[in-house]
Amino acid sequence: DAGVIQSPRHEVTEMGQEVTLRCKPISGHDYLFWYRQTMMRGLELLIYFNNNVPIDDSGMPEDRFSAKMPNASFSTLKIQPSEPRDSAVYFCASSLRAVYNEQFFGPGTRLTVL
Amino acid sequence: AQSVTQLGSHVSVSEGALVLLRCNYSSSVPPYLFWYVQYPNQGLQLLLKYTTGATLVKGINGFEAEFKKSETSFHLTKPSAHMSDAAEYFCAVSELPSDMRFGAGTRLTVKP
């Protein structure tokens, strides 16, 4: 298996622009997580899905953030409009309930908002 | 709710020396415990995990960790540090598949 795939790996945009981050989880995994990592706040859980259904989005910082999972093999995290404080590394992870909750992480998307 | 405390945000060791990264957890039920490693500009990679059974867990790259219920600890060790071990290490605890709590991370520096 190719592991969790994220695109793009790097994104540089200007304040006010819409940003869409993409994730392909490991095939067969039933949980998908979006995290944000910054120096100040460390690793934060933004939202997670179970069987494509959003379960807990309490970590989403503002209404500017939204996430979807239209099918078992694809998820997006959208920021509209983007702000400089959104600059961070965004990770997607997936897991299979039956395997002791282990999460497999993608390589991350480094977002810079100018 | 479960939580994790990593003692020491930065640890520096000499090459060949013992590596000891400390992790304490709190959990209301027997937890699953994990150590992840993050190399620069990469995602988190699982080093090892404790689920049930043997309390001494061996992982990749010569790392191991011991689950001590009485001390609520899951410290990570490696007998001899290599330069390639320089990275950030995260301890995590999970009671449910949907709820993994990560520590703040410990940055390991290895001096030649």
Side-chain angles (χ1 to χ4, degrees):
Chain A
D1 200 314
V4 176
I5 298 172
Q6 291 187 247
S7 64
R9 292 295 312 276
H10 302 273
E11 177 80 35
V12 180
T13 190
E14 293 189 348
M15 182 173 62
Q17 297 298 306
E18 177 180 295
V19 175
T20 300
L21 311 181
R22 298 173 175 79
C23 174
K24 176 179 169 56
I26 292 174
S27 177
H29 282 192
D30 52 357
Y31 284 87
L32 184 138
F33 306 83
W34 282 101
Y35 291 90
R36 179 172 67 177
Q37 185 179 40
T38 61
M39 289 291 290
M40 292 297 294
R41 301 174 69 90
L43 199 60
E44 302 174 276
L45 177 64
L46 300 177
I47 185 172
Y48 79 89
F49 296 81
N50 178 219
N51 293 321
N52 313 338
V53 176
I55 303 300
D56 184 355
D57 65 354
S58 60
M60 298 285 260
E62 299 173 32
D63 291 345
R64 297 184 295 106
F65 286 70
S66 62
K68 294 182 179 179
M69 192 165 186
N71 57 63
S73 59
F74 184 65
S75 177
T76 60
L77 178 67
K78 186 175 294 186
I79 307 173
Q80 166 63 17
S82 58
E83 296 183 3
R85 58 188 168 134
D86 301 331
S87 297
V89 181
Y90 291 82
F91 289 104
C92 175
S94 68
S95 71
L96 179 62
R97 178 189 172 92
V99 188
Y100 299 116
N101 308 350
E102 177 184 343
Q103 293 186 19
F104 294 79
F105 282 75
T109 295
R110 181 174 296 276
L111 173 65
T112 302
V113 183
L114 303 174
Chain B
Q2 71 269 32
S3 66
V4 172
T5 301
Q6 290 184 240
L7 302 175
S9 59
H10 291 88
V11 171
S12 181
V13 302
S14 297
E15 192 172 20
L18 171 72
V19 175
L20 171 60
L21 305 183
R22 300 179 187 273
C23 173
N24 287 90
Y25 70 92
S26 67
S27 176
S28 58
V29 300
Y32 299 145
L33 296 161
F34 306 83
W35 275 101
Y36 283 85
V37 61
Q38 184 180 28
Y39 299 104
N41 301 314
Q42 295 187 27
L44 277 70
Q45 177 184 357
L46 184 70
L47 266 181
L48 50 80
K49 64 185 177 187
Y50 170 79
T51 55
T52 58
T55 56
L56 182 62
V57 180
K58 295 186 184 298
I60 61 172
N61 302 337
F63 284 93
E64 61 183 34
E66 186 170 11
F67 169 58
K68 291 187 176 180
K69 184 178 179 181
S70 61
E71 298 177 9
T72 60
S73 69
F74 191 56
H75 301 331
L76 181 70
T77 60
K78 182 174 180 177
S80 177
H82 295 164
M83 297 296 292
S84 59
D85 294 328
E88 184 128 20
Y89 292 80
F90 294 90
C91 182
V93 60
S94 176
E95 295 176 357
L96 300 170
S98 57
D99 195 6
M100 180 173 286
R101 304 295 176 95
F102 288 87
T106 298
R107 183 169 298 278
L108 176 66
T109 302
V110 182
K111 298 175 292 185

